[in-house]
Amino acid sequence: MFNSAGKRNVLPGFGLTMGYTLLYVSLIVIIPLSAVFFKTASLSWEGFVEAVGSARVLASYRLTFGIALFAALLNSVFGLLSAWVLVRYRLPGKRIVDALVDLPFALPTAVAGITLATLYAPSGWLGRFLTPFGIKVAYTPLGILVAMTFIGLPFVVRTVQPVLEELETELEEAASCLGASRLQTFTRVIFPVLLPPLLTGFALAFARAVGEYGSIIFIAGNMPMVSEITPLLIITKLEQFDYAGATAIASVMLAASFLILFVVNILQWWSRRYSEK
Amino acid sequence: MSIQIQNITKRFNGFQALSNVDITVPSGELVALLGPSGSGKTTLLRIIAGLDFADQGSILFNGEEATHRSAKERQVGFVFQHYALFRHMNVFDNVAFGLQVKPRRARPSKAEIRDKVHELLQLVQLEQLARRYPAQLSGGQRQRVALARALAVEPQVLLLDEPFGALDAKVRQELRRWLRKLHDEIHVTSVFVTHDQEEALEVADRIVVMNEGRVEQTGTPEEVYDKPANPFVFNFLGNVNLFHGRVHEGAARIADIGIDLPRQGEADGTAVVAYVRPYDIEINRTRQGADEIEASVLHIQGAGSVARFKLERLDTREIIEAELTRERYRELGLRTGEKVFVKPRNVRVFTADYQI
């Protein structure tokens, strides 16, 4: 098949696995996604611009991508911290904490949304302590941030944790013998090794936050121009049977997400350039 | 810089890693800590480096108290068995690391760092590979980078933990000769840990033989090899044959051979063990005298610089290993199964209460 030119490959099954991968990716990813673009193509250029460029839609892009980026950044910082604590220190109930990290994966997003909205409502368990300071979480963009941070938490922890576990303590000992301070050891020796998994975790958390719908609509308040996320707009269009308009917005989201993930991938490749053979 | 190790004791959760270790490393010497795994040699090296701390005892650098100094303050160069190179930095940056993390006022300029690193890379013969990453180097090259990195900060003491342990035999041999040469050039006080007696004998100025957290013997390679203080050292520094016997009329009797005891006044019947190196076993086809043991040839390995024999004593069925020169081997023309007469030379007797 692929090696019919007489070149022999040591790893068997290249043709079969490659074919299967292509088929799988086509069925699951490429065909459904290209349908989005085909449907979008039924719009005229003016119709497309109107559908994706109205003030309300533009505001939702800013909100969705802006807060998703911010949430992913937050998760990167605190996920790194959590992974560090889980790997480096012995603490009681560590296994329980470790298991809790995965919970946002398992919880139905609507449940998460309702729970968060209840907790952070002005009269909720947490919200009531914030109200005196004039901080409103539920039904504001801040609520979206809380929900996006919640659902993105496991990604950074789970990507950084195994790399941190494999980091030899000898590296830190070597650095300290060479006269590096604790801070220098972290910034020059440990962090560069953690950067690639951190970027992966960031990208995953970001992608998840951009696509999140279920938990956010319960806490966001969904006010046009203020706290309305793009996925909600798409649903609204669908409910009005404006399929072409919905797919038009979806295709813009797809393109933007792809671009951002692509940039993160390049960054990641750059941060791992040392491992090339 | 000289190092004094005084009365160091260290326990790990109930395991006695080191007990009352006293060693003095004179300035400029290359000293080997030699012992089997679990003998505490690596723990001792880490305590010297300040990567571990002793429960008791003190470490003095040039007569100055250094027991409580951190690794950072001790200014020692440490080379790890598995290199511990920074894999996200290329060779140049690895070597430059110790210079670049210096506080601003002590840090050399960029040009000075570059010159220094190139000088070191020249020393370890890796100048062409400055831009490579550790993943692109062989084991021997990585260890040389680790050495250059340790030397960059001009340490007062160089500590090496099984530096050649992870390398294959040929590279290992090359690298240890090279280390000896390097030491002759730069004369930095060095301590290296090894479990390979050949390596210690070949490279070191002085050998400290350790076992179960204690120092068994200290001395030059010739001293520890020719005059082992006890059976452990004898055994550890090369192959050895054991002959069990008893004291009889003030002399040790091994089979029919009488040997003088190291000290007088042992009671008759006391168990003794005689130690003989394989090359001190003489083999003859015919009986030459009374003090010989009869044996049969079990196995011959004739290839190599010496011929190795495995013999079986006819009386006790114990195995004797012997090494013959190639000439003697050819002269005898022995085959497996033949009967021979064995005569041990240079026998060292230890009474059996001194067990290994």
Side-chain angles (χ1 to χ4, degrees):
Chain A
M1 285 174 74
F2 283 91
N3 47 13
S4 57
K7 218 178 111 184
R8 292 187 56 176
N9 201 331
V10 181
L11 288 176
F14 173 76
L16 185 69
T17 51
M18 183 69 188
Y20 184 75
T21 306
L22 283 179
L23 177 74
Y24 190 76
V25 170
S26 305
L27 278 178
I28 304 289
V29 182
I30 299 176
I31 295 174
L33 290 189
S34 53
V36 170
F37 290 99
F38 281 124
K39 190 74 193 170
T40 309
S42 67
L43 280 175
S44 66
W45 179 247
E46 286 75 25
F48 177 76
V49 170
E50 201 206 308
V52 303
S54 73
R56 186 173 164 190
V57 178
L58 287 179
S60 83
Y61 294 149
R62 274 196 294 277
L63 187 77
T64 309
F65 286 103
I67 297 185
L69 271 178
F70 194 58
L73 275 174
L74 266 185
N75 272 328
S76 300
V77 174
F78 291 100
L80 178 64
L81 217 65
S82 311
W84 184 272
V85 170
L86 285 175
V87 172
R88 287 293 168 111
Y89 305 107
R90 278 194 208 172
L91 39 138
K94 182 163 134 174
R95 282 181 188 282
I96 297 173
V97 177
D98 204 5
L100 279 177
V101 167
D102 286 330
L103 215 55
F105 270 144
L107 210 59
T109 53
V111 176
I114 293 166
T115 312
L116 289 174
T118 316
L119 279 178
Y120 284 100
S123 58
W125 287 359
L126 292 172
R128 76 174 74 161
F129 298 110
L130 297 172
T131 319
F133 301 102
I135 302 168
K136 279 181 72 182
V137 179
Y139 319 122
T140 65
L142 203 55
I144 303 178
L145 180 67
V146 170
M148 283 183 171
T149 310
F150 176 80
I151 50 143
L153 171 75
F155 294 99
V156 174
V157 179
R158 290 293 176 246
T159 49
V160 171
Q161 203 175 13
V163 179
L164 199 55
E165 267 162 10
E166 277 173 29
L167 202 68
E168 310 100 312
T169 47
E170 282 187 354
L171 290 178
E172 287 161 64
E173 289 174 351
S176 107
C177 282
L178 291 166
S181 65
R182 292 296 301 160
L183 183 68
Q184 283 170 323
T185 306
F186 182 80
T187 55
R188 285 164 178 262
V189 176
I190 301 172
F191 189 72
V193 179
L194 296 183
L195 189 60
L198 196 61
L199 284 170
T200 307
F202 173 84
L204 289 172
F206 169 74
R208 179 70 210 277
V210 165
E212 178 60 16
Y213 173 74
S215 62
I216 296 173
I217 51 162
F218 288 102
I219 198 174
N222 307 326
M223 302 225 310
M225 306 298 293
V226 179
S227 59
E228 190 178 44
I229 54 167
T230 315
L232 178 66
L233 268 179
I234 297 173
I235 299 281
T236 314
K237 296 248 183 215
L238 287 178
E239 281 169 350
Q240 294 160 355
F241 304 104
D242 181 6
Y243 295 130
T247 53
I249 299 176
S251 58
V252 170
M253 269 196 101
L254 259 179
S257 299
F258 182 76
L259 203 71
I260 293 172
L261 292 178
F262 189 66
V263 170
V264 174
N265 259 316
I266 289 176
L267 273 177
Q268 213 185 331
W269 168 80
W270 168 82
S271 71
R272 289 183 49 86
R273 65 204 180 284
Y274 56 83
S275 58
E276 284 166 48
K277 288 276 174 185
Chain B
M1 187 163 77
S2 69
I3 309 169
Q4 269 120 348
I5 297 155
Q6 297 177 338
N7 200 27
I8 291 283
T9 296
K10 174 83 182 172
R11 294 179 72 85
F12 289 115
N13 326 313
F15 170 71
Q16 190 78 36
L18 293 169
S19 32
N20 307 96
V21 172
D22 279 290
I23 300 169
T24 302
V25 180
S27 187
E29 273 200 8
L30 179 54
V31 172
L33 298 180
L34 174 67
S37 55
S39 60
K41 52 197 192 312
T42 295
T43 307
L44 183 60
L45 195 76
R46 290 174 59 86
I47 289 174
I48 300 173
L51 296 173
D52 258 324
F53 292 90
D55 300 335
Q56 258 178 58
S58 36
I59 303 280
L60 277 66
F61 283 173
N62 263 348
E64 235 176 86
E65 177 65 39
T67 316
H68 301 291
R69 282 189 212 160
S70 70
K72 183 176 183 271
E73 292 159 342
R74 287 193 200 195
Q75 300 189 314
V76 296
F78 201 101
V79 176
F80 294 85
Q81 182 178 1
H82 298 288
Y83 330 122
L85 292 179
F86 306 131
R87 56 179 183 266
H88 59 284
M89 295 182 198
N90 62 27
V91 169
F92 181 96
D93 290 331
N94 261 287
V95 177
F97 184 85
L99 300 171
Q100 278 163 349
V101 295
K102 283 189 183 219
R104 198 172 294 268
R105 49 200 154 65
R107 196 187 308 156
S109 72
K110 270 200 165 157
E112 281 170 313
I113 291 180
R114 200 181 52 229
D115 292 346
K116 175 91 195 170
V117 172
H118 280 297
E119 188 187 307
L120 280 162
L121 287 178
Q122 215 163 12
L123 189 71
V124 299
Q125 300 155 6
L126 288 174
E127 254 206 314
Q128 282 74 41
L129 305 180
R131 296 280 146 219
R132 295 266 188 99
Y133 286 98
Q136 300 163 322
L137 302 178
S138 71
Q141 289 169 335
R142 283 182 213 182
Q143 197 55 294
R144 299 211 301 263
V145 175
L147 198 59
R149 182 179 69 176
L151 290 172
V153 288
E154 291 175 7
Q156 301 291 306
V157 176
L158 187 61
L159 305 171
L160 306 104
D161 183 13
E162 304 249 2
F164 315 127
L167 303 169
D168 58 71
K170 193 151 169 60
V171 180
R172 193 145 93 200
Q173 216 165 31
E174 241 169 63
L175 217 52
R176 71 190 190 214
R177 278 183 197 144
W178 176 82
L179 176 71
R180 180 68 240 184
K181 216 180 91 211
L182 183 80
H183 186 265
D184 292 339
E185 281 167 31
I186 59 176
H187 282 297
V188 57
T189 309
S190 308
V191 180
F192 79 102
V193 159
T194 181
H195 60 258
D196 181 346
Q197 32 96 10
E198 238 178 85
E199 191 170 294
L201 292 170
E202 184 177 328
V203 176
D205 293 318
R206 185 183 295 267
I207 295 176
V208 177
V209 184
M210 293 186 68
N211 183 36
E212 289 178 348
R214 290 184 314 271
V215 174
E216 297 281 357
Q217 191 177 2
T218 308
T220 62
E222 285 91 54
E223 277 167 8
V224 292
Y225 191 81
D226 293 337
K227 298 192 193 76
N230 56 48
F232 175 81
V233 179
F234 210 119
N235 220 342
F236 198 72
L237 285 176
N239 292 335
V240 71
N241 290 297
L242 272 67
F243 294 93
H244 296 274
R246 299 216 167 263
V247 175
H248 182 70
E249 288 172 1
R253 287 207 76 77
I254 310 291
D256 293 331
I257 311 164
I259 301 149
D260 289 340
L261 280 168
R263 54 183 176 191
Q264 293 303 311
E266 297 286 354
D268 270 16
T270 309
V272 291
V273 186
Y275 290 79
V276 186
R277 296 266 183 229
Y279 50 76
D280 280 329
I281 299 281
E282 205 180 302
I283 301 179
N284 289 300
R285 279 177 169 279
T286 53
R287 189 175 273 283
Q288 311 282 312
D291 50 353
E292 286 178 352
I293 302 168
E294 284 180 62
S296 66
V297 179
L298 271 188
H299 181 77
I300 303 171
Q301 187 207 315
S305 55
V306 291
R308 291 170 212 277
F309 280 70
K310 203 179 245 181
L311 311 165
E312 189 183 40
R313 276 173 71 172
L314 294 184
D315 49 356
T316 61
R317 300 273 153 210
E318 281 173 314
I319 302 293
I320 303 172
E321 282 179 31
E323 282 173 17
L324 265 58
T325 60
R326 296 183 65 84
E327 294 78 47
R328 180 72 184 142
Y329 169 53
R330 268 192 229 115
E331 196 181 304
L332 281 170
L334 281 168
R335 291 181 187 285
T336 46
E338 282 188 82
K339 195 172 125 184
V340 291
F341 295 89
V342 169
K343 183 180 177 175
R345 291 175 306 222
N346 298 326
V347 183
R348 285 287 304 266
V349 177
F350 296 97
T351 44
D353 62 338
Y354 201 121
Q355 275 300 341
I356 298 172

